[in-house]
Amino acid sequence: MLQTYHRRSKTTEPPPPPTPTPTHTTTGQPTHTRPPNLRPNPKPTKPYNASSYHTQLPSLDTEPTTFTIANRYPQWRSAMADEFSTLMRNGTWTLVPRVPNSNVVDSKWVFKLKRDQTGAIKRYKARLVAKGFRQQPGIDYQETFSLVVKLTTIPVVLSLAVTQKWSLRQLDVQNAFLHGNNPEAIDKVVQRLSQSFAIQDMGSLSYFLGIEVTNQGYDMILSQRKYIIDLLQRAGLSNAKPVSSPMTTTANLALGYSAMLADPIKYRKIVGALQYVTLSRPDITFAVNKVCQFMHSPTENHWSAVK
């Protein structure tokens, strides 16, 4: 029988890199040398500072954006405890079995600093709210409504109280304000409300929703000085010079008249805040109405009109 032998060709492979030889320190512990094919570590340009690697907590003058941050301060923890105890006392929740395949809307904490007309902090306020943005239209709800008072209602109610010479009392229902026929009736209503809600009697109406209220005899003066000053700072106009008219007579506000504004979000925020200013400054109502017409596509010319 003849046998045929096939000789397989050998492939040459590169030799493995040399294994670094461990050296020994004076203590007898082996140390490994750095492989020659790796670059050396760069030398540090500045000394190591451990504190720079830790996130600095915001101060108590700012509103925390997360529960983790708020939970580190006793002031915010106390505010959350007050909110939770009030919800439990009022029987806000009822424990029910979860419906299969249902959309469960969870909750989150929202934190707000309540300040007076001078800007000083009066209260740390925490609210546990539902994440309404996770609801599905047509499944979780059919229509929506707002529990916030309309802007035009405030001057109507206040002017009615002035003409009728009603007493005004401001309450914080754990900030709402209450109107009555006389002081005795107000006291009774406050007493009845305190039986069902955790309320704080804040005395005569002086400052609410960013509006400062000053009584001069039977007259009432509304001022938004602090709100307007804060708005000027947000718009970068704190050092701007005042003008006698809220709008120039030569302004030509139209679509496409000038270049598009680089930051339309800032435009919408400032204009939205100006709408609230009209509560105490009706003289700017026409000008604010004009710039509101270009919220969807503001230009540089529109931003000049806002300023």
Side-chain angles (χ1 to χ4, degrees):
M1 179 181 293
L2 296 177
Q3 294 182 349
T4 305
Y5 295 92
H6 299 276
R7 190 173 185 178
R8 301 177 63 183
S9 60
K10 294 183 179 180
T11 58
T12 58
E13 297 180 356
T19 303
T21 303
T23 60
H24 295 271
T25 61
T26 56
T27 59
Q29 298 295 331
T31 59
H32 297 278
T33 59
R34 189 176 184 85
N37 60 328
L38 297 180
R39 293 188 300 176
N41 291 328
K43 295 182 179 180
T45 56
K46 55 184 178 179
Y48 170 75
N49 184 8
S51 61
S52 63
Y53 291 88
H54 298 279
T55 303
Q56 187 176 3
L57 292 177
S59 66
L60 282 172
D61 289 338
T62 59
E63 297 165 354
T65 56
T66 64
F67 168 80
T68 304
I69 297 176
N71 196 41
R72 299 185 180 183
Y73 295 96
Q75 293 86 343
W76 290 116
R77 289 200 301 268
S78 177
M80 288 186 286
D82 292 341
E83 169 75 354
F84 186 77
S85 61
T86 301
L87 294 173
M88 296 299 295
R89 183 169 58 251
N90 293 337
T92 305
W93 296 292
T94 300
L95 187 62
V96 297
R98 178 173 180 174
V99 179
N101 301 322
S102 62
N103 178 34
V104 178
V105 179
D106 53 348
S107 58
K108 65 174 294 185
W109 284 101
V110 177
F111 307 97
K112 185 70 176 179
L113 289 173
K114 307 298 289 187
R115 302 177 183 268
D116 59 13
Q117 56 268 34
T118 64
I121 299 176
K122 295 185 62 177
R123 182 185 172 194
Y124 295 90
K125 187 174 182 179
R127 286 291 178 263
L128 187 64
V129 301
K131 297 180 181 178
F133 55 86
R134 293 190 175 180
Q135 298 182 93
Q136 304 175 26
I139 300 178
D140 300 312
Y141 66 92
Q142 300 296 333
E143 58 183 357
T144 61
F145 67 97
S146 176
L147 295 175
V148 181
V149 63
K150 286 187 176 181
L151 185 62
T152 53
T153 305
I154 297 177
V156 172
V157 174
L158 294 180
S159 62
L160 183 62
V162 171
T163 55
Q164 298 296 328
K165 298 182 175 60
W166 289 345
S167 298
L168 295 176
R169 184 81 62 82
Q170 184 177 3
L171 303 176
D172 189 356
V173 185
Q174 284 249 16
N175 192 344
F177 54 96
L178 179 69
H179 305 268
N181 297 328
N182 52 65
E184 291 77 13
I186 295 178
D187 292 335
K188 292 181 180 179
V189 174
V190 172
Q191 184 179 5
R192 294 289 299 273
L193 285 174
S194 62
Q195 296 176 359
S196 302
F197 303 98
I199 67 173
Q200 179 184 0
D201 190 351
M202 305 176 67
S204 300
L205 181 63
S206 59
Y207 187 76
F208 73 101
L209 302 177
I211 305 169
E212 185 177 355
V213 180
T214 305
N215 294 306
Q216 293 187 354
Y218 291 110
D219 297 329
M220 180 182 297
I221 299 177
L222 303 182
S223 173
Q224 294 175 285
R225 183 177 182 275
K226 180 182 180 302
Y227 182 85
I228 295 174
I229 291 176
D230 293 341
L231 180 58
L232 287 172
Q233 293 176 348
R234 288 166 51 191
L237 299 173
S238 299
N239 299 322
K241 297 181 180 179
V243 293
S244 58
S245 174
M247 191 174 190
T248 174
T249 57
T250 59
N252 184 11
L253 300 182
L255 290 174
Y257 185 76
S258 61
M260 299 299 297
L261 191 63
D263 189 1
I265 296 179
K266 181 179 181 180
Y267 180 94
R268 298 176 186 124
K269 288 182 177 179
I270 299 300
V271 172
L274 282 173
Q275 295 184 62
Y276 191 66
V277 173
T278 59
L279 177 64
S280 62
R281 293 292 304 273
D283 55 313
I284 67 172
T285 302
F286 177 79
V288 173
N289 175 267
K290 293 294 292 184
V291 295
C292 283
Q293 299 176 20
F294 306 98
M295 300 275 271
H296 62 292
S297 183
T299 65
E300 294 288 347
N301 193 38
H302 300 147
W303 176 242
S304 297
V306 170
K307 293 190 292 184

